[in-house]
Amino acid sequence: MALSDIDRQLLDRCLTNKPQAWQDFVDRFMGLVIHVVTHTAESRSLRLTGAESEDLVSEVFLGVIANDFRVLRQFRGQSSLATYLTVVARRIVVRQIVQRASDSAVQLGPAAAEKPAEDESPEQRMSNQEEVQRLLSRLDGAEADVVRMYHLEGKSYGEISQQTGMPAGSVGPTLSRARLRLREGAQPAG
């Protein structure tokens, strides 16, 4: 689908800084950006809070206006503006998700996992480690490895993929299946 006249005019208004142009742009594409954020998170098995979703939507719009609307200036009109913005938004969201995961892995990585909580006694820490090992024994080898690397070693999906040979896109679903299996196993028999 080619660029529509409405979008061409909106694009021109934004690039020439006409009054109300940016607000009209945001109003027109807000639903699309929210959809991209939601879909991208779901495809990575992530549950976002409302605040996290809003942050990602804001990051997309900040990316669009960065460097004097560079993203919009690079648009060549060979597709609809919505299609172009979908690709741009997805790239920004994926970059932000990866960056945030990397930041949390740094904060909660192996050193943090090894550091005991100040209010835990050595006996409690040993008991917790035994509980984790007991839970991991309920999983098959590959799932146990992925859970251990992600939750205990703080590795990213990319690092897990490199170490296991598993495609990075399979890490999230593997974690989800493992968590489900562990939750099912933790349910009291009724």
Side-chain angles (χ1 to χ4, degrees):
M1 177 178 210
L3 179 64
S4 71
D5 288 336
I6 293 171
D7 287 344
R8 184 183 330 277
Q9 292 170 7
L10 181 58
L11 189 61
D12 290 342
R13 289 177 49 224
C14 283
L15 295 177
T16 56
N17 294 315
K18 298 289 184 200
Q20 192 66 29
W22 179 245
Q23 184 60 42
D24 291 345
F25 184 92
V26 170
D27 289 346
R28 180 157 175 83
F29 294 107
M30 177 65 78
L32 173 76
V33 172
I34 290 170
H35 173 75
V36 170
V37 167
T38 303
H39 180 74
T40 304
E42 286 174 355
S43 70
R44 294 180 173 331
S45 300
L46 297 174
R47 288 189 182 166
L48 299 176
T49 65
E52 290 168 330
S53 293
E54 289 174 12
D55 286 348
L56 290 171
V57 168
S58 295
E59 289 295 332
V60 169
F61 284 115
L62 287 172
V64 171
I65 64 171
N67 299 317
D68 192 32
F69 294 98
R70 187 173 121 217
V71 166
L72 295 182
R73 292 183 191 288
Q74 291 176 337
F75 177 58
R76 299 290 168 235
Q78 296 173 342
S79 66
S80 71
L81 186 54
T83 300
Y84 178 74
L85 288 174
T86 299
V87 173
V88 168
R90 185 178 181 286
R91 287 180 180 164
I92 292 170
V93 171
V94 168
R95 190 176 323 125
Q96 287 294 315
I97 288 172
V98 168
Q99 179 62 44
R100 291 170 188 203
S102 173
D103 289 348
S104 72
V106 168
Q107 294 168 5
L108 302 173
E114 293 168 9
K115 181 181 176 189
E118 292 181 20
D119 58 346
E120 270 188 350
S121 70
E123 294 81 17
Q124 287 172 318
R125 285 194 304 274
M126 183 58 79
S127 173
N128 288 343
Q129 288 177 350
E130 289 170 0
E131 177 68 10
V132 168
Q133 292 304 326
R134 185 181 65 75
L135 289 172
L136 285 175
S137 70
R138 293 182 183 171
L139 302 174
D140 69 32
E143 285 179 335
D145 289 343
V146 170
V147 169
R148 181 182 37 74
M149 285 188 255
Y150 185 77
H151 288 289
L152 298 179
E153 298 173 12
K155 295 191 184 303
S156 69
Y157 284 15
E159 292 168 324
I160 293 170
S161 173
Q162 287 177 333
Q163 287 189 347
T164 64
M166 175 184 292
S170 297
V171 173
T174 300
L175 282 168
S176 294
R177 280 191 305 275
R179 290 178 191 130
L180 180 62
R181 187 169 294 145
L182 290 173
R183 277 194 294 273
E184 289 171 350
Q187 300 288 329

